[in-house]
Each structure stands twice: as structure tokens, then as C-alpha cells.
Amino acid sequence: PVFVMNEAARVLRPGGRAAWSHTDFDGIIVSGPDATLTRTVLHAYADTPPPWTSAADGQTGRKLPGLVRRSRLRMVEAVVHVTTS
């Protein structure tokens, strides 16, 4: 991911901006009557790779600010939204 951000920094014109967004699937709040089943469903959802990739990281959303700090980009703002279901 840092490589991708560094590539974005390389191709942006001076003063250009990039917006990064990702859902932190491991942080989604799910409430159900069976805690074990609820955790199982959440982790299966967060850890199952989508069809277009071979890997999944359910915590990517929370890692974005750190990835930006390790890249050549400059952090302007980080906004967090919580999803409940």
C-alpha cells in the first residue's frame, strides 16, 4: 500500500491532492443474540478476500493514516465513520 501511495505522490502535480478511503471491515459493529455466531460472521466477512484479490485485511481502514505518514504524501485530514448493523 505504501508503494501505491508513493506512486500517487509521484504522479500528482505540485500541490495536487489524493483522497484515500477504505472500510475497516474488522471494526464494523454487528449485534446479534448469539455472541459467538455474531463474531464468526463478522470475522468471516472481514477476513474473506473479495473476488478481485487474493488477500484481505479487515483492518486496512484504521491503517490508512499510518500508511500515508510512511509515504511521500502529506496528511491533511483523517475522517472516521462508524457503521452499525
Side-chain angles (χ1 to χ4, degrees):
V2 173
F3 172 82
V4 173
M5 291 180 178
N6 283 335
E7 185 64 7
R10 185 185 71 79
V11 299
L12 282 171
R13 64 180 144 178
R17 291 178 173 226
W20 300 93
S21 174
H22 200 287
T23 300
D24 192 305
F25 293 105
D26 202 38
I28 294 174
I29 298 169
V30 180
S31 177
D34 182 333
T36 301
L37 178 59
T38 299
R39 287 187 186 103
T40 301
V41 168
L42 175 62
H43 287 287
Y45 182 71
D47 299 334
T48 301
W52 60 85
T53 186
S54 61
D57 182 347
Q59 297 184 350
T60 299
R62 71 186 75 177
K63 294 177 181 178
L64 277 179
L67 293 170
V68 171
R69 282 192 286 278
R70 290 197 311 270
S71 77
R72 295 180 5 216
L73 295 170
R74 181 178 58 89
M75 176 81 67
V76 174
E77 179 181 24
V79 178
V80 177
H81 300 274
V82 177
T83 302
T84 61
S85 175

